[in-house]
Every structure is written in structure tokens, then in C-alpha cells.
Amino acid sequence: MVYLGCHLSSAGGYAAMCKTAAEIGADTFQFFTRNPRGGKAKAFDPADAAVLSGAIAAGTLGPVVAHAPYTINPCSADPRVREFAWETMADDLAKLDQIPGVYYNFHPGSHVGQGVETGIDRIVEALNGVLTAGGRTPVLLETMAGKGSEVGGRFEELRTILDRADRPDRLGVCLDTCHIHDGGYDLVHDLDGVLAEFDRVIGLSRLKAVHLNDSKNPLGAKKDRHAVIGGGYLGLPALAAVVRHPALQGLPMVLETPNELPGYAAEIALLRKEAAR
Ligand code: FE
Ligand code: FE
Ligand code: ZN
């Protein structure tokens, strides 16, 4: 089996997200640690967080994914932008360390003209800075579409980050189906081959979560526009094959499709049915 859920609004807090997850048939979910466009995080509420860690410990929920705001850029050329990314990540991790069972997922960043090598060095520098000895939250690098100067569009780039980081034991990867399709990995015709390539380059043991999204653009478009399940170039059969794939069992799989809650509930039910076939 896989855990299935979707991205939820964190506006009402952790207990509210757990309740919503139950209502829509989800046994995992994802949330932004703060406003995705950056800015201040809410104060940490230990009693509220205990509802989430309790649900994970009880097995009601599988691992849950906390997503860093997508505007932070740990590989910017501007030291102030990098500093903001470090501060945000360190602050997020200090909170998440108090919620066992939650992964912290982030976009490696965009090198904006510095070149991928420099970008990778800066990402490694950020990870080495924020992954302190006392911390414990697993940190996931998200596979990217390779839009613009995004780092992480090739499995090799993520592998290099893992190789150079001081604390690889704290690191994993989150595979986004829309992103890798847009990055040129053909899940539709060769899912086995793509996963074999992931295993060869990164290692499947590093894969901790999946973002299940269809794509509005054809293979290799490097666009990153998510479509509803079955409404894009990946299509339902390819995404059903992902939830059924033996190498991916046990993972949390999170929808980031353009939906409101009823649409998410329907997609979760559909994918559960496909997973059981
Ligand atoms: Fe993401
Ligand atoms: Fe994603
Ligand atoms: Zn995306």
C-alpha cells in the first residue's frame, strides 16, 4: 500500500489538517510551513502539534510532508537572499523537530546565471549550515522540472548534493511526477526505466515521498504546470502505475493538483481504487 493525501491549507493549524485529512479519505498530507510567498511563520503551538505527531505515532497517518515556502532560494547569488533561506529553513526545522514523523521538503533553488556547479555548492553550504547535530527532521530535496535555472532537474544534480553534504543521513528525495516528466523522464512509456535510473543515480532508499501530479505540458517541456489526475500529458494509467509500483510501496504520495477539497477527495478515492487493482 501507499499513503495517499493532498496539499492542505495550514491556516487552521495541525489538528484542523488532521480532521480535514480524515474527512477526505487521506492518510497523509502536505502543508506549507508558512505563507508560500515567504514571510513570518505562526507561533508554534505544542498542543496542536501533538495532535499531528499523535496521529502519525498511532498509524492513523503515514509520514506527513512539510513544504518550505517556494520563494526561498538557498543558491541565490545575493547573500541576503541566501541568508533569508538559511533563517527560514533553520526556523522551520527547529519547529518540525518537535513533530516526529514529519519530513521537510524544499526546492533546491535556482542558480540564476551562476551555473549549476556554483548553485550546488551554495545548496550544500545551506544544508551544512542548517542541519545541526541536535536536529532530527529528515530533509527532502524535491526533483524539479528544470524550469529556468532550477537546480534538481536531473537526478545527477541531486546526487551531487547528497554526496557533498556533511549530513547525508538526514537527507532524502521527494519525487514530483509532473516535475520529472517536464524534466524529460518518461513515466508514461517507461516507468520501470525511470525508477531504475533513479535507483542507479540516487538510490531508491533515498526516496521518501512522492508528489502525484499530472502535467499540463508534454514530456521535457521544463514548464512545471500541474494538471488534475488524468487531465494532462501523464494521464491516469501512468499515475495509477506509480501508486501500484512495487518499488514505491509504503511511501506517502501527495496530490498538488489544481483542486478544492471535493476534487482532492475524488482523486484520492480514484487512486485508492487503482492502487487496489
Ligand atoms: Fe514543491
Ligand atoms: Fe511538488
Ligand atoms: Zn510543481
Short mmCIF file of all heavy atoms in Angstrom, two decimals, residues 185-235:
data_model
loop_
_atom_site.label_atom_id
_atom_site.label_comp_id
_atom_site.label_asym_id
_atom_site.label_seq_id
_atom_site.Cartn_x
_atom_site.Cartn_y
_atom_site.Cartn_z
N TYR A 185 11.92 12.88 -18.05
CA TYR A 185 11.90 11.46 -17.66
C TYR A 185 10.52 10.88 -18.02
O TYR A 185 9.50 11.34 -17.52
CB TYR A 185 12.15 11.32 -16.15
CG TYR A 185 13.56 11.71 -15.74
CD1 TYR A 185 13.82 12.98 -15.23
CD2 TYR A 185 14.62 10.81 -15.86
CE1 TYR A 185 15.11 13.35 -14.84
CE2 TYR A 185 15.91 11.17 -15.47
CZ TYR A 185 16.15 12.43 -14.96
OH TYR A 185 17.42 12.78 -14.58
N ASP A 186 10.52 9.88 -18.88
CA ASP A 186 9.27 9.40 -19.49
C ASP A 186 8.55 8.34 -18.65
O ASP A 186 8.69 7.14 -18.88
CB ASP A 186 9.56 8.86 -20.90
CG ASP A 186 8.28 8.62 -21.69
OD1 ASP A 186 7.18 8.76 -21.11
OD2 ASP A 186 8.40 8.30 -22.89
N LEU A 187 7.76 8.84 -17.70
CA LEU A 187 6.99 7.95 -16.83
C LEU A 187 5.89 7.22 -17.58
O LEU A 187 5.44 6.17 -17.16
CB LEU A 187 6.31 8.77 -15.73
CG LEU A 187 7.19 9.46 -14.70
CD1 LEU A 187 6.34 10.40 -13.86
CD2 LEU A 187 7.84 8.42 -13.82
N VAL A 188 5.41 7.81 -18.67
CA VAL A 188 4.26 7.24 -19.38
C VAL A 188 4.66 5.95 -20.09
O VAL A 188 3.96 4.95 -20.01
CB VAL A 188 3.68 8.26 -20.39
CG1 VAL A 188 2.53 7.64 -21.18
CG2 VAL A 188 3.21 9.51 -19.66
N HIS A 189 5.79 5.97 -20.77
CA HIS A 189 6.18 4.81 -21.56
C HIS A 189 7.21 3.92 -20.87
O HIS A 189 7.43 2.79 -21.29
CB HIS A 189 6.72 5.25 -22.93
CG HIS A 189 5.72 6.04 -23.71
ND1 HIS A 189 5.76 7.40 -23.79
CD2 HIS A 189 4.63 5.64 -24.40
CE1 HIS A 189 4.73 7.82 -24.51
NE2 HIS A 189 4.03 6.77 -24.89
N ASP A 190 7.87 4.44 -19.83
CA ASP A 190 8.96 3.66 -19.24
C ASP A 190 9.14 3.96 -17.75
O ASP A 190 10.22 4.37 -17.31
CB ASP A 190 10.26 3.95 -20.00
CG ASP A 190 11.38 2.97 -19.62
OD1 ASP A 190 11.08 1.91 -19.02
OD2 ASP A 190 12.55 3.29 -19.90
N LEU A 191 8.07 3.74 -16.96
CA LEU A 191 8.17 3.97 -15.51
C LEU A 191 9.28 3.12 -14.90
O LEU A 191 10.06 3.60 -14.08
CB LEU A 191 6.81 3.68 -14.85
CG LEU A 191 6.79 3.76 -13.31
CD1 LEU A 191 7.17 5.14 -12.81
CD2 LEU A 191 5.41 3.35 -12.79
N ASP A 192 9.34 1.84 -15.30
CA ASP A 192 10.39 0.96 -14.76
C ASP A 192 11.78 1.52 -15.05
O ASP A 192 12.65 1.51 -14.18
CB ASP A 192 10.29 -0.44 -15.38
CG ASP A 192 9.15 -1.26 -14.79
OD1 ASP A 192 8.70 -0.94 -13.66
OD2 ASP A 192 8.71 -2.21 -15.46
N GLY A 193 11.97 2.02 -16.26
CA GLY A 193 13.27 2.56 -16.66
C GLY A 193 13.61 3.82 -15.87
O GLY A 193 14.75 4.01 -15.46
N VAL A 194 12.61 4.67 -15.64
CA VAL A 194 12.84 5.91 -14.89
C VAL A 194 13.22 5.57 -13.44
O VAL A 194 14.16 6.15 -12.88
CB VAL A 194 11.61 6.84 -14.93
CG1 VAL A 194 11.76 8.00 -13.95
CG2 VAL A 194 11.38 7.35 -16.35
N LEU A 195 12.51 4.60 -12.86
CA LEU A 195 12.82 4.23 -11.47
C LEU A 195 14.16 3.51 -11.37
O LEU A 195 14.89 3.67 -10.39
CB LEU A 195 11.69 3.39 -10.88
CG LEU A 195 10.37 4.14 -10.66
CD1 LEU A 195 9.28 3.21 -10.15
CD2 LEU A 195 10.54 5.34 -9.72
N ALA A 196 14.51 2.76 -12.41
CA ALA A 196 15.83 2.11 -12.44
C ALA A 196 16.93 3.17 -12.52
O ALA A 196 17.97 3.06 -11.87
CB ALA A 196 15.92 1.14 -13.62
N GLU A 197 16.67 4.21 -13.31
CA GLU A 197 17.62 5.32 -13.42
C GLU A 197 17.75 6.07 -12.09
O GLU A 197 18.85 6.41 -11.65
CB GLU A 197 17.13 6.27 -14.53
CG GLU A 197 17.92 7.55 -14.72
CD GLU A 197 19.24 7.35 -15.45
OE1 GLU A 197 19.61 6.19 -15.72
OE2 GLU A 197 19.90 8.37 -15.72
N PHE A 198 16.59 6.29 -11.43
CA PHE A 198 16.62 6.92 -10.10
C PHE A 198 17.47 6.08 -9.14
O PHE A 198 18.29 6.59 -8.39
CB PHE A 198 15.19 7.08 -9.56
CG PHE A 198 15.09 7.85 -8.27
CD1 PHE A 198 14.71 9.19 -8.26
CD2 PHE A 198 15.38 7.25 -7.06
CE1 PHE A 198 14.62 9.91 -7.08
CE2 PHE A 198 15.30 7.96 -5.86
CZ PHE A 198 14.92 9.29 -5.87
N ASP A 199 17.26 4.77 -9.20
CA ASP A 199 17.98 3.86 -8.31
C ASP A 199 19.48 3.87 -8.61
O ASP A 199 20.30 3.91 -7.69
CB ASP A 199 17.41 2.45 -8.45
CG ASP A 199 17.90 1.53 -7.33
OD1 ASP A 199 18.04 2.02 -6.19
OD2 ASP A 199 18.12 0.34 -7.59
N ARG A 200 19.82 3.89 -9.88
CA ARG A 200 21.23 3.86 -10.28
C ARG A 200 21.93 5.15 -9.86
O ARG A 200 23.05 5.13 -9.34
CB ARG A 200 21.32 3.70 -11.81
CG ARG A 200 22.73 3.56 -12.35
CD ARG A 200 22.74 3.46 -13.88
NE ARG A 200 22.33 4.70 -14.54
CZ ARG A 200 23.11 5.76 -14.70
NH1 ARG A 200 24.35 5.76 -14.25
NH2 ARG A 200 22.65 6.84 -15.31
N VAL A 201 21.27 6.29 -10.07
CA VAL A 201 21.92 7.58 -9.82
C VAL A 201 21.83 8.00 -8.35
O VAL A 201 22.81 8.44 -7.76
CB VAL A 201 21.31 8.67 -10.74
CG1 VAL A 201 21.92 10.04 -10.44
CG2 VAL A 201 21.50 8.31 -12.21
N ILE A 202 20.63 7.89 -7.77
CA ILE A 202 20.43 8.39 -6.41
C ILE A 202 20.33 7.25 -5.39
O ILE A 202 20.88 7.33 -4.30
CB ILE A 202 19.15 9.26 -6.34
CG1 ILE A 202 19.26 10.49 -7.26
CG2 ILE A 202 18.88 9.71 -4.90
CD1 ILE A 202 18.00 11.34 -7.34
N GLY A 203 19.61 6.20 -5.77
CA GLY A 203 19.34 5.09 -4.85
C GLY A 203 17.91 5.18 -4.36
O GLY A 203 17.51 6.19 -3.78
N LEU A 204 17.12 4.14 -4.59
CA LEU A 204 15.70 4.18 -4.19
C LEU A 204 15.53 4.29 -2.68
O LEU A 204 14.48 4.74 -2.21
CB LEU A 204 14.96 2.95 -4.73
CG LEU A 204 14.48 3.08 -6.19
CD1 LEU A 204 13.99 1.73 -6.72
CD2 LEU A 204 13.37 4.13 -6.33
N SER A 205 16.55 3.89 -1.91
CA SER A 205 16.44 4.02 -0.45
C SER A 205 16.35 5.48 -0.02
O SER A 205 15.91 5.78 1.08
CB SER A 205 17.62 3.34 0.24
OG SER A 205 18.82 3.99 -0.13
N ARG A 206 16.77 6.40 -0.88
CA ARG A 206 16.69 7.84 -0.59
C ARG A 206 15.29 8.40 -0.84
O ARG A 206 14.99 9.53 -0.44
CB ARG A 206 17.64 8.63 -1.49
CG ARG A 206 19.08 8.40 -1.19
CD ARG A 206 19.53 9.26 -0.03
NE ARG A 206 20.94 9.05 0.24
CZ ARG A 206 21.52 9.38 1.38
NH1 ARG A 206 20.80 9.93 2.35
NH2 ARG A 206 22.79 9.15 1.56
N LEU A 207 14.46 7.66 -1.56
CA LEU A 207 13.15 8.17 -1.95
C LEU A 207 12.18 8.05 -0.78
O LEU A 207 11.88 6.94 -0.33
CB LEU A 207 12.64 7.40 -3.18
CG LEU A 207 11.31 7.87 -3.75
CD1 LEU A 207 11.34 9.35 -4.12
CD2 LEU A 207 10.93 7.04 -4.96
N LYS A 208 11.73 9.19 -0.26
CA LYS A 208 10.90 9.21 0.96
C LYS A 208 9.48 9.67 0.71
O LYS A 208 8.61 9.46 1.58
CB LYS A 208 11.54 10.13 2.01
CG LYS A 208 12.96 9.74 2.39
CD LYS A 208 13.01 8.35 3.02
CE LYS A 208 14.43 7.96 3.40
NZ LYS A 208 14.54 6.53 3.70
N ALA A 209 9.21 10.33 -0.41
CA ALA A 209 7.86 10.84 -0.66
C ALA A 209 7.68 11.08 -2.15
O ALA A 209 8.67 11.21 -2.90
CB ALA A 209 7.62 12.13 0.11
N VAL A 210 6.41 11.11 -2.57
CA VAL A 210 6.07 11.35 -3.97
C VAL A 210 5.04 12.47 -4.04
O VAL A 210 4.12 12.51 -3.21
CB VAL A 210 5.51 10.06 -4.63
CG1 VAL A 210 4.97 10.33 -6.03
CG2 VAL A 210 6.58 8.96 -4.68
N HIS A 211 5.21 13.39 -4.99
CA HIS A 211 4.15 14.35 -5.32
C HIS A 211 3.47 13.82 -6.57
O HIS A 211 4.10 13.69 -7.61
CB HIS A 211 4.74 15.74 -5.61
CG HIS A 211 5.19 16.45 -4.38
ND1 HIS A 211 5.97 17.58 -4.41
CD2 HIS A 211 4.93 16.21 -3.07
CE1 HIS A 211 6.18 18.00 -3.17
NE2 HIS A 211 5.57 17.18 -2.33
N LEU A 212 2.18 13.48 -6.43
CA LEU A 212 1.42 12.90 -7.54
C LEU A 212 0.69 14.02 -8.28
O LEU A 212 -0.31 14.53 -7.79
CB LEU A 212 0.38 11.94 -7.00
CG LEU A 212 0.73 10.49 -6.73
CD1 LEU A 212 -0.52 9.79 -6.20
CD2 LEU A 212 1.27 9.78 -7.96
N ASN A 213 1.19 14.38 -9.43
CA ASN A 213 0.57 15.44 -10.22
C ASN A 213 0.58 15.05 -11.69
O ASN A 213 1.54 14.45 -12.16
CB ASN A 213 1.39 16.74 -10.10
CG ASN A 213 1.51 17.22 -8.66
OD1 ASN A 213 0.50 17.35 -7.97
ND2 ASN A 213 2.74 17.46 -8.20
N ASP A 214 -0.49 15.41 -12.40
CA ASP A 214 -0.45 15.32 -13.85
C ASP A 214 0.21 16.61 -14.36
O ASP A 214 0.43 17.55 -13.58
CB ASP A 214 -1.87 15.13 -14.41
CG ASP A 214 -1.88 14.29 -15.68
OD1 ASP A 214 -0.92 14.42 -16.48
OD2 ASP A 214 -2.84 13.54 -15.89
N SER A 215 0.55 16.65 -15.63
CA SER A 215 1.25 17.81 -16.19
C SER A 215 0.49 18.42 -17.36
O SER A 215 0.02 17.70 -18.24
CB SER A 215 2.65 17.41 -16.67
OG SER A 215 3.27 18.51 -17.33
N LYS A 216 0.41 19.74 -17.37
CA LYS A 216 -0.26 20.44 -18.48
C LYS A 216 0.61 20.50 -19.73
O LYS A 216 0.16 21.01 -20.76
CB LYS A 216 -0.61 21.87 -18.06
CG LYS A 216 -1.75 21.92 -17.05
CD LYS A 216 -2.31 23.30 -16.84
CE LYS A 216 -3.55 23.19 -15.96
NZ LYS A 216 -3.91 24.46 -15.33
N ASN A 217 1.85 20.01 -19.64
CA ASN A 217 2.77 20.17 -20.76
C ASN A 217 3.39 18.84 -21.16
O ASN A 217 3.48 17.91 -20.35
CB ASN A 217 3.85 21.20 -20.40
CG ASN A 217 3.27 22.60 -20.30
OD1 ASN A 217 2.93 23.21 -21.31
ND2 ASN A 217 3.11 23.08 -19.08
N PRO A 218 3.85 18.75 -22.42
CA PRO A 218 4.42 17.49 -22.90
C PRO A 218 5.78 17.17 -22.27
O PRO A 218 6.42 18.05 -21.67
CB PRO A 218 4.54 17.69 -24.41
CG PRO A 218 4.44 19.15 -24.65
CD PRO A 218 3.71 19.76 -23.49
N LEU A 219 6.20 15.93 -22.45
CA LEU A 219 7.47 15.43 -21.93
C LEU A 219 8.62 16.39 -22.25
O LEU A 219 8.78 16.80 -23.40
CB LEU A 219 7.75 14.06 -22.57
CG LEU A 219 9.04 13.35 -22.17
CD1 LEU A 219 8.98 12.86 -20.74
CD2 LEU A 219 9.31 12.18 -23.12
N GLY A 220 9.40 16.74 -21.23
CA GLY A 220 10.59 17.55 -21.46
C GLY A 220 10.33 19.04 -21.62
O GLY A 220 11.25 19.80 -21.94
N ALA A 221 9.08 19.50 -21.35
CA ALA A 221 8.73 20.91 -21.60
C ALA A 221 9.40 21.88 -20.62
O ALA A 221 9.47 23.08 -20.89
CB ALA A 221 7.22 21.09 -21.55
N LYS A 222 9.85 21.37 -19.47
CA LYS A 222 10.50 22.20 -18.44
C LYS A 222 9.63 23.38 -18.00
O LYS A 222 10.13 24.50 -17.85
CB LYS A 222 11.87 22.70 -18.92
CG LYS A 222 12.80 21.57 -19.26
CD LYS A 222 14.23 22.03 -19.41
CE LYS A 222 15.14 20.81 -19.54
NZ LYS A 222 16.51 21.12 -19.73
N LYS A 223 8.32 23.12 -17.84
CA LYS A 223 7.39 24.20 -17.52
C LYS A 223 6.94 24.19 -16.06
O LYS A 223 6.77 25.23 -15.45
CB LYS A 223 6.13 24.09 -18.40
CG LYS A 223 6.40 24.35 -19.86
CD LYS A 223 6.36 25.83 -20.15
CE LYS A 223 6.12 26.01 -21.64
NZ LYS A 223 6.67 27.17 -22.21
N ASP A 224 6.59 23.00 -15.52
CA ASP A 224 6.07 22.91 -14.16
C ASP A 224 4.69 23.55 -14.02
O ASP A 224 4.51 24.52 -13.28
CB ASP A 224 7.05 23.53 -13.14
CG ASP A 224 6.60 23.29 -11.70
OD1 ASP A 224 5.58 22.60 -11.50
OD2 ASP A 224 7.28 23.81 -10.80
N ARG A 225 3.70 23.02 -14.75
CA ARG A 225 2.30 23.42 -14.52
C ARG A 225 1.52 22.14 -14.23
O ARG A 225 1.41 21.27 -15.08
CB ARG A 225 1.72 24.14 -15.74
CG ARG A 225 2.51 25.39 -16.11
CD ARG A 225 1.79 26.74 -15.97
NE ARG A 225 0.36 26.73 -15.76
CZ ARG A 225 -0.56 27.03 -16.70
NH1 ARG A 225 -0.18 27.31 -17.93
NH2 ARG A 225 -1.83 27.05 -16.39
N HIS A 226 1.00 22.05 -13.01
CA HIS A 226 0.32 20.83 -12.59
C HIS A 226 -1.09 20.74 -13.18
O HIS A 226 -1.78 21.75 -13.26
CB HIS A 226 0.20 20.77 -11.07
CG HIS A 226 1.51 20.85 -10.36
ND1 HIS A 226 1.63 20.70 -9.00
CD2 HIS A 226 2.78 21.03 -10.80
CE1 HIS A 226 2.90 20.80 -8.64
NE2 HIS A 226 3.62 21.01 -9.72
N ALA A 227 -1.51 19.54 -13.58
CA ALA A 227 -2.88 19.29 -14.05
C ALA A 227 -3.55 18.30 -13.10
O ALA A 227 -2.87 17.59 -12.34
CB ALA A 227 -2.85 18.71 -15.47
N VAL A 228 -4.89 18.28 -13.12
CA VAL A 228 -5.61 17.29 -12.32
C VAL A 228 -5.28 15.89 -12.83
O VAL A 228 -4.86 15.71 -13.98
CB VAL A 228 -7.15 17.52 -12.35
CG1 VAL A 228 -7.50 18.84 -11.67
CG2 VAL A 228 -7.69 17.47 -13.77
N ILE A 229 -5.46 14.89 -11.96
CA ILE A 229 -5.13 13.50 -12.32
C ILE A 229 -5.97 13.06 -13.52
O ILE A 229 -7.20 13.13 -13.48
CB ILE A 229 -5.40 12.56 -11.11
CG1 ILE A 229 -4.56 12.97 -9.89
CG2 ILE A 229 -5.15 11.09 -11.50
CD1 ILE A 229 -3.06 13.00 -10.09
N GLY A 230 -5.30 12.65 -14.57
CA GLY A 230 -5.99 12.23 -15.80
C GLY A 230 -6.29 13.39 -16.74
O GLY A 230 -6.82 13.17 -17.83
N GLY A 231 -5.95 14.60 -16.33
CA GLY A 231 -6.26 15.78 -17.15
C GLY A 231 -5.06 16.37 -17.85
O GLY A 231 -5.12 17.49 -18.36
N GLY A 232 -3.97 15.60 -17.92
CA GLY A 232 -2.76 16.15 -18.53
C GLY A 232 -2.02 15.12 -19.36
O GLY A 232 -2.59 14.09 -19.73
N TYR A 233 -0.77 15.39 -19.62
CA TYR A 233 0.04 14.54 -20.50
C TYR A 233 0.48 13.23 -19.86
O TYR A 233 0.87 12.30 -20.55
CB TYR A 233 1.27 15.30 -21.01
CG TYR A 233 0.94 16.21 -22.16
CD1 TYR A 233 0.43 17.49 -21.93
CD2 TYR A 233 1.10 15.80 -23.48
CE1 TYR A 233 0.12 18.34 -22.98
CE2 TYR A 233 0.79 16.63 -24.55
CZ TYR A 233 0.30 17.89 -24.29
OH TYR A 233 -0.02 18.72 -25.34
N LEU A 234 0.43 13.15 -18.51
CA LEU A 234 0.78 11.88 -17.87
C LEU A 234 -0.39 10.90 -17.99
O LEU A 234 -0.20 9.75 -18.39
CB LEU A 234 1.16 12.09 -16.41
CG LEU A 234 2.58 12.61 -16.18
CD1 LEU A 234 2.73 13.17 -14.78
CD2 LEU A 234 3.59 11.49 -16.39
N GLY A 235 -1.57 11.34 -17.61
CA GLY A 235 -2.77 10.51 -17.73
C GLY A 235 -2.94 9.55 -16.56
O GLY A 235 -1.99 9.24 -15.83
#
